[in-house]
Amino acid sequence: MSDPAPDGLPAGDPSAGDPSDERRPEARQYEPPPSAGKLLLWILLFVTAALAVVLGGVYFT
């Protein structure tokens, strides 16, 4: 068996890495919410696409 690492964990233990390791849940970085203008643009895009689908369906029937 190998000698333990200085922090008391076995030398081959994957959790013995840097505390700021991205695999840890505390270190997750989340994307900020969209700004009001960007959210409004997405809503307008969705409404425009929905309107195009409805008007296209009315036109082709």
Side-chain angles (χ1 to χ4, degrees), residues 20 22 29 32 34 36 40 45 48 52 55-56 59:
S20 65
E22 292 182 22
Q29 297 288 324
L40 181 64
L45 179 66
T48 303
L55 291 178
Y59 178 76

Side-chain angles (χ1 to χ4, degrees), residues 1-51:
M1 184 119 203
S2 64
D3 292 332
D7 58 1
L9 296 171
D13 190 19
S15 64
D18 186 13
S20 65
D21 192 356
E22 292 182 22
R23 290 176 290 175
R24 297 182 58 183
E26 304 88 46
R28 290 186 180 154
Q29 297 288 324
Y30 292 103
E31 190 174 315
S35 63
K38 192 176 282 189
L39 185 61
L40 181 64
L41 285 175
W42 277 110
I43 292 171
L44 288 175
L45 179 66
F46 178 79
V47 169
T48 303
L51 187 64

